Amino acid sequence: MSLGEPNLSRRPDGAALFIALLLAAIAAVIIWQTSMMRVPPIQARVGPQVFPYVIAGGLILLAIGTALSAWRGQFPAREKDNYGPMLWIIGGLIGQMLLLGWAGFSIGTAVLFAFTAKGFGRGPLWQTLPIGLVLSFVIWFIFSRGLQLSLPMGPLERLIP
Amino acid sequence: MDTFGLLADGLLAALQVHNLLYALIGVTLGTAVGVLPGIGPALTVALLLPVTYRLDATGSLIMFAGIYYGGMYGGSTTSILLNTPGESASIVTALEGNKMARKGRGGPALATAAIGSFIAGLIATIALAFLAPWVVKAALAFGPADYFALMVLAFVTVSAAFGDSALRGITALFIGLGLGVIGIDLQTGQARLAFGIPDLLDGIEVTTLAVALFAIGETLSIASSRSQIKEEVLAVKGSVWMTLEDWKRSWPAWLRGTVIGFPIGAMPAGGAEIGTFFSYAAEKRLSKHPEEFGHGAIEGVAGPEAANNASAAGTLVPLLTLGLPTSATAAIMLAGFQQFGLQPGPLLFANNAPLVWSLVASLLIANFMLLVLNLPLIGLWVKLLTIPKHWLYAGILTFATLGTLGANGALSGRLGPIPFSFELLILLAFGLLGYGLRRFGYPIAPVVIGLILGPLAEQQLRRALAISQGDPLVLVHSPIAITLYVIAAIALLLPIFLRMRGKGEVLGQLAANED
Amino acid sequence: MNKLFLAALISGALALPTYAADYTIMAPAAPGGGWDQTARSMQEALQAEGISGNVQVTNVPGAGGTIGLAQFVNQSTGNPNALIVGGYVMVGAVLTNASPVSLANVTPIARLTGESDVIVVPAASELQTVDDLTAKLKADPGSVSWAGGSAGGVDHIAAGLFAKTVGVDPTLVNYIAFSGGGEALAAVLGGQVTVGISGLGEFDAQIKSGDLRALATTGSARLEGSDIPTLGEAGVDLVVENWRMVAAAPGITDEQKTAITADVEKLVTSATWKQTLETKGWQDMYLSGADFDTQLAADIDATSAILKDIGLVQ
């Protein structure tokens, strides 16, 4: 992974400052949600709110620490990321998620498979989609019919009695 | 009949040719399914359990034991080679194991995992057979205050898994702790941080988080990295077998892992993965090569793998003697045992002695079969690394989502007219989190550790204080708790003390210099 | 433990190849547990007795059955082939989770089985009888720690009702929730808590082996051949039974409801079902029609009242 020498330029690290902000925001959400909790009267001692508050407090301290560290540029250097491939994979995961319910396991997973391969530079889709389809159908058959795992069915799966 | 006689009978029955064959089939099936990324031992056993129903009692027990061990070992294989642990217990294995695999030392990593699992399984199964009644008595002596002390010790020692920056390690841990709060609070039945979403009421599933952070996060991270996507992974560099040096460094780790894992597995509220955390921490502290940790130290694979297997045998102690399943895998085993006519509970050893002993014998035989089958296959497993990245990661995501769907696949979400699986949405969200963590150099394991330990620590603390009616002295009331706190204090202070004496470094270094 | 669900799912599925279903029974739980077993036993008996040609069981676990219940109401309205298994736990879960759907949104058909809770103490405990427990509770309610299942569940409700019945403020009950009866069992055996309260099945083996002493069950009648008194016999006028029921979809016609009720009636009188009750150790608590509706309404009222008393529900 991209762990390496610290960022030598020692300039404030914008992205890391953003992390600090994010941690603080999470802490704020935890405090806000926890303060809205209704606590049953039986819990006079350490109640359900104590741990969330402690964790939120810790997150605030960590946000401050992160901000300081980002200010001093102490985060490890990162290489510039390539977002194209990532979007393919995320697209594949979302595609699978939305297809499963009505198109079934095989079609949904074929999309995930082909999009992921595409993200790693293997295309074209008209080649990888059928490969993915055959693979996921075989997997569906083995796990659903052979091992009785309940997996979503679609038109393709219903072809098999 | 005495214990030895019964065990010998069981072994004789198990050693018949057809039973050995069942063991072999079980181990093969278990390894084959368990090796799929995202499908951990619990799911493997659940999926394959019915296969055993068609055999006679002895045969099915033996095949079942084989599946169990095969599934566990298969999970470690993917952890080591692909950095995709299928269950929380093999997360620690991935820490060092995958680093070894990336250096072309996947063979020795798999070997030390296999042999360590075998040795730990052997010792722990024998301990189960002879010590179960005493071990369970000791385990029952642990009250909520003692468990809380154990959790404190775990928090202190797992900092060994925090990587090279205390700030980022603790941040990762706190993210995990925060996730652990989500869901219905056990003590009051009130929802916390569920934002009105029913699917969140039961909390975040540890397996889903682990698969998302590791498998999905890793895939995203590699795909988006210009250098890593092209990087050629060496399948084998040097020997595929363990060298003499590897042996020398592995065997003490195996034994320590066994000693740590077994009792923790035996505790009714222990949790199998905690032993692997402790073992990793211990190895890191005791190693003569601490600088190698985080870069592929073989002890960091040997110890936790042994601890994992020993604690798996340990979970059989409360399972058999009290009928108490303490892990997901144990819960499925309980279902299996009942199918085989074993009624776990205090009267089991008295009423079902022959079956218990054939179970013990089966575990021993299956454990042995695992070694026989898998050692020769190591050369084949490491070839997994030579699969082109596009197919490999497409396959990993396929199986990761399959495992998630299989374990918790209700299509309970809804986007307009389209139903979708909420668990897959969680998988995606945490996959992105895993990517972000990697990108900014945060360690992954503490997030999962936080999710596991946080709720345990909280519940035990609140139970202890409730039972004592709010008297905080209860926390240091028992000798067990005091002992654990002392160990925790030593673990925390000793390295600082040594460092101050050794190198004259300042205490402040700990917090200030994150890199 | 969603993995448990797979084990149960698979064993059920293996036994019964699936065809087009006459009934689809939803078990709104992570199976292996009571609701799942109930659904699968129904499936088996309905098919074996030829009452229904084909029956499928689906599992939708989560949040005390309320996730399954919500999905059932959303997807099955007006469907005369859809059934859902539920139980007393659901009554409490609907209230504590502030679930948008409740048992009022489905068409209850019949109560099928039940199990009473049992109050146990470690063998070495000074408490010998229910009277001892009552005395200790009255003297200092906080000094009696009760170990049982999750907060707001049937064990918690039973403990709260016990206090209320003997005249102790239920908010003072020192209830320690454990995830499942198993962990509670370990706490009682280890002497960490004063009493344990959970389903009889959870403690049965340890009661038989003498490691635990049963003070009383919360059932309406003594179990056959058992020497454990009921709370009523021990002088505390209280019955808490963890029953399981079957309900049909909302929006079905009266004729459809009658037909389903008739099928369920056939089911519970069948030899296969009787056999199942025996092997699983379930008590037959069959009750249908108006009697069940009345009973259900009474149970919901009582539960709602005690959950408010304990402070879990406003």
Side-chain angles (χ1 to χ4, degrees):
Chain A
M1 271 149 283
S2 51
L3 285 173
E5 297 90 64
N7 194 340
L8 290 176
S9 58
R10 296 274 159 189
R11 267 182 314 199
D13 184 336
L17 279 177
F18 178 72
I19 295 179
L21 209 63
L22 208 64
L23 291 173
I26 296 173
V29 170
I30 294 179
I31 292 172
W32 168 57
Q33 283 282 315
T34 308
S35 67
M36 295 201 327
M37 258 182 87
R38 206 183 47 73
V39 181
I42 38 167
Q43 292 295 328
R45 306 159 206 111
V46 178
Q49 295 176 305
V50 174
F51 261 66
Y53 282 142
V54 169
I55 291 168
L59 283 171
I60 289 173
L61 292 179
L62 289 165
I64 296 170
T66 307
L68 285 177
S69 172
W71 196 257
R72 294 195 218 132
Q74 282 169 337
F75 265 73
R78 303 178 290 277
E79 53 178 338
K80 201 162 161 33
D81 266 4
N82 207 350
Y83 290 107
M86 225 176 104
L87 290 179
W88 273 109
I89 295 169
I90 295 170
L93 284 164
I94 294 175
Q96 181 204 34
M97 196 165 72
L98 295 179
L99 282 168
L100 279 176
W102 53 281
F105 179 80
S106 308
I107 295 176
T109 309
V111 169
L112 171 68
F113 185 89
F115 278 33
T116 307
K118 178 83 186 162
F120 281 87
R122 178 66 161 88
L125 284 179
W126 62 266
Q127 263 183 17
T128 50
L129 269 175
I131 296 175
L133 193 64
V134 171
L135 180 79
S136 4
F137 192 74
V138 170
I139 291 171
W140 176 85
F141 190 81
I142 294 174
F143 279 85
S144 177
R145 286 298 144 92
L147 297 173
Q148 303 292 341
L149 190 64
S150 109
L151 294 169
M153 292 187 26
L156 217 56
E157 286 81 8
R158 291 203 188 92
L159 290 178
I160 303 233
Chain B
M1 220 184 299
D2 66 345
T3 311
F4 282 100
L6 285 163
L7 181 59
D9 270 8
L11 276 172
L12 276 181
L15 278 169
Q16 283 166 5
V17 177
H18 65 277
N19 282 337
L20 286 178
L21 194 66
Y22 290 148
L24 191 64
I25 296 172
V27 168
T28 312
L29 282 175
T31 312
V33 176
V35 82
L36 301 172
I39 301 187
L43 195 51
T44 306
V45 174
L47 285 174
L48 292 172
L49 192 57
V51 178
T52 64
Y53 292 165
R54 294 162 197 178
L55 308 174
D56 62 278
T58 321
S60 55
L61 260 182
I62 286 178
M63 192 190 268
F64 172 75
I67 291 169
Y68 177 54
Y69 278 120
M72 280 208 299
Y73 181 68
S76 314
T77 306
T78 46
S79 283
I80 290 171
L81 294 178
L82 307 174
N83 204 16
T84 55
E87 199 171 68
S88 43
S90 41
I91 285 167
V92 178
T93 310
L95 289 180
E96 299 300 323
N98 188 249
K99 290 279 167 18
M100 286 180 73
R102 276 164 196 252
K103 287 184 181 164
R105 305 238 308 134
L110 288 175
T112 199
I115 301 170
S117 300
F118 170 73
I119 290 176
L122 187 73
I123 298 174
T125 309
I126 293 172
L128 162 74
F130 292 97
L131 304 177
W134 292 277
V135 173
V136 80
K137 214 166 276 173
L140 283 177
F142 265 70
D146 307 313
Y147 278 116
F148 180 70
L150 185 70
M151 293 307 133
V152 170
L153 177 60
F155 277 123
V156 169
T157 52
V158 294
S159 59
F162 281 179
D164 50 6
S165 154
L167 174 73
R168 288 195 294 274
I170 294 173
T171 307
L173 181 74
F174 266 76
I175 293 174
L177 292 175
L179 292 174
V181 172
I182 295 175
I184 293 176
D185 169 43
L186 186 69
Q187 296 302 322
T188 59
Q190 304 297 309
R192 295 194 294 192
L193 296 174
F195 305 99
I197 302 167
D199 295 274
L200 287 179
L201 288 178
D202 283 344
I204 304 289
E205 189 82 16
V206 176
T207 320
T208 306
L209 180 74
V211 170
L213 289 179
F214 281 91
I216 313 271
E218 174 93 348
T219 308
L220 289 173
S221 157
I222 289 184
S224 66
S225 150
R226 285 170 213 275
S227 56
Q228 286 190 68
I229 200 165
K230 295 203 187 71
E231 181 194 11
E232 291 291 324
V233 178
L234 283 174
V236 183
K237 192 168 136 195
S239 171
V240 72
W241 300 114
M242 288 167 67
T243 63
L244 196 63
E245 170 77 6
D246 290 336
W247 279 96
K248 274 192 192 145
R249 290 175 59 176
S250 289
W251 72 263
W254 293 333
L255 296 184
R256 280 193 291 264
T258 310
V259 173
I260 292 171
F262 183 70
I264 290 184
M267 287 178 192
E273 55 283 288
I274 296 172
T276 66
F277 304 159
F278 278 126
S279 167
Y280 182 79
E283 292 313 321
K284 192 171 178 182
R285 292 269 148 82
L286 296 172
S287 170
K288 292 199 184 79
H289 312 270
E291 74 286 353
E292 278 184 35
F293 273 78
H295 306 282
I298 194 164
E299 299 96 328
V301 182
E305 271 301 299
N308 182 13
N309 252 38
S311 108
T315 52
L316 290 176
V317 172
L319 185 64
L320 292 177
T321 54
L322 302 175
L324 196 75
T326 54
S327 70
T329 320
I332 292 158
M333 294 182 81
L334 184 62
F337 290 161
Q338 285 165 343
Q339 208 72 30
F340 307 139
L342 267 172
Q343 276 304 338
L347 303 174
L348 175 73
F349 281 81
N351 291 351
N352 283 46
L355 259 178
V356 176
W357 292 107
S358 59
L359 171 70
V360 170
S362 306
L363 289 169
L364 291 173
I365 299 287
N367 196 10
F368 181 67
M369 271 299 173
L370 181 78
L371 199 65
V372 170
L373 178 78
N374 275 299
L375 278 184
L377 283 182
I378 285 176
L380 193 67
W381 287 132
V382 294
K383 292 257 163 36
L384 267 179
L385 294 174
T386 60
I387 297 175
K389 282 213 174 77
H390 47 269
W391 298 137
L392 182 65
Y393 285 100
I396 287 178
L397 290 199
T398 299
F399 285 111
T401 50
L402 170 77
T404 307
L405 274 175
N408 201 349
L411 301 172
S412 51
R414 206 161 253 283
L415 186 78
I418 306 170
F420 67 90
S421 158
F422 191 81
E423 203 71 9
L424 282 187
L425 186 67
I426 292 184
L427 192 75
L428 173 61
F430 290 144
L432 289 171
L433 173 68
Y435 163 78
L437 292 172
R438 279 181 170 77
R439 177 147 169 75
F440 290 94
Y442 286 88
I444 306 291
V447 182
V448 189
I449 292 173
L451 178 64
I452 295 169
L453 294 184
L456 281 173
E458 180 190 3
Q459 294 301 329
Q460 300 294 5
L461 174 68
R462 287 170 60 192
R463 275 180 200 142
L465 289 177
I467 291 172
S468 76
Q469 301 184 63
D471 178 7
L473 281 180
V474 72
L475 296 178
V476 289
H477 194 66
S478 92
I480 301 177
I482 294 171
T483 313
L484 290 168
Y485 286 127
V486 170
I487 299 174
I490 293 172
L492 189 67
L493 299 177
L494 193 65
I496 298 173
F497 176 69
L498 289 179
R499 210 181 309 161
M500 280 168 62
R501 267 188 46 173
K503 294 179 194 159
E505 278 179 5
V506 193
L507 243 159
Q509 291 287 65
L510 201 72
N513 189 2
E514 294 85 15
D515 298 302
Chain C
M1 281 195 193
N2 285 307
K3 279 128 217 148
L4 199 57
F5 136 78
L6 284 160
L9 180 77
I10 290 157
S11 45
L14 257 202
L16 300 151
T18 46
Y19 312 99
D22 280 354
Y23 279 119
T24 305
I25 308 177
M26 178 189 282
W35 291 343
D36 177 67
Q37 289 184 35
T38 305
R40 291 184 194 281
S41 305
M42 284 178 69
Q43 175 189 40
E44 206 177 309
L46 284 169
Q47 291 183 140
E49 297 288 333
I51 302 166
S52 165
N54 303 291
V55 181
Q56 283 188 358
V57 172
T58 58
N59 290 87
V60 184
T66 51
I67 291 182
L69 189 67
Q71 192 165 328
F72 183 78
V73 171
N74 282 337
Q75 294 175 6
S76 304
T77 302
N79 178 355
N81 296 330
L83 299 177
I84 185 168
V85 168
Y88 185 59
V89 174
M90 209 182 246
V91 174
V94 163
L95 294 164
T96 47
N97 297 348
S99 166
V101 294
S102 73
L103 288 175
N105 295 86
V106 295
T107 312
I109 298 293
R111 187 177 71 183
L112 297 173
T113 62
E115 183 185 46
S116 47
D117 263 15
V118 62
I119 301 173
V120 295
V121 293
S125 167
E126 57 186 24
L127 302 177
Q128 298 292 335
T129 63
V130 172
D131 288 338
D132 295 346
L133 175 61
T134 309
K136 189 170 165 65
L137 191 67
K138 277 187 168 159
D140 181 3
S143 71
V144 179
S145 47
W146 303 70
S150 56
V154 59
D155 306 336
H156 193 181
I157 290 171
L161 282 171
F162 182 91
K164 195 177 174 184
T165 312
V166 299
V168 172
D169 179 359
T171 61
L172 297 178
V173 168
N174 192 1
Y175 186 80
I176 320 291
F178 289 83
S179 41
E183 247 188 85
L185 168 66
V188 186
L189 282 176
Q192 315 290 347
V193 290
T194 320
V195 297
I197 183 161
S198 199
L200 186 57
E202 302 279 2
F203 294 139
D204 205 27
Q206 273 73 17
I207 295 171
K208 287 205 176 95
S209 71
D211 293 311
L212 296 178
R213 177 165 58 248
L215 298 185
T217 70
T218 62
S220 52
R222 230 180 238 231
L223 286 177
E224 240 171 89
S226 166
D227 52 4
I228 309 170
T230 65
L231 277 178
E233 289 170 338
V236 178
D237 183 21
L238 173 65
V239 173
V240 179
E241 278 163 334
N242 186 7
W243 45 260
R244 301 184 192 130
M245 63 177 277
V246 59
I252 57 170
T253 64
D254 284 347
E255 292 79 53
Q256 286 165 339
K257 184 183 174 185
T258 314
I260 296 170
T261 311
D263 277 351
V264 172
E265 169 115 42
K266 266 188 247 164
L267 166 82
V268 296
T269 49
S270 71
T272 315
W273 185 252
K274 296 240 146 72
Q275 181 62 40
T276 307
L277 293 181
E278 194 159 319
T279 48
K280 305 254 184 199
W282 291 342
Q283 275 172 269
D284 190 353
M285 288 183 59
Y286 178 65
L287 189 68
S288 71
D291 293 342
F292 177 49
D293 292 343
T294 317
Q295 181 63 44
L296 183 60
D299 276 346
I300 291 175
D301 284 347
T303 308
S304 170
I306 187 65
L307 285 175
K308 275 181 194 142
D309 285 346
I310 306 174
L312 288 185
V313 173
Q314 274 174 335

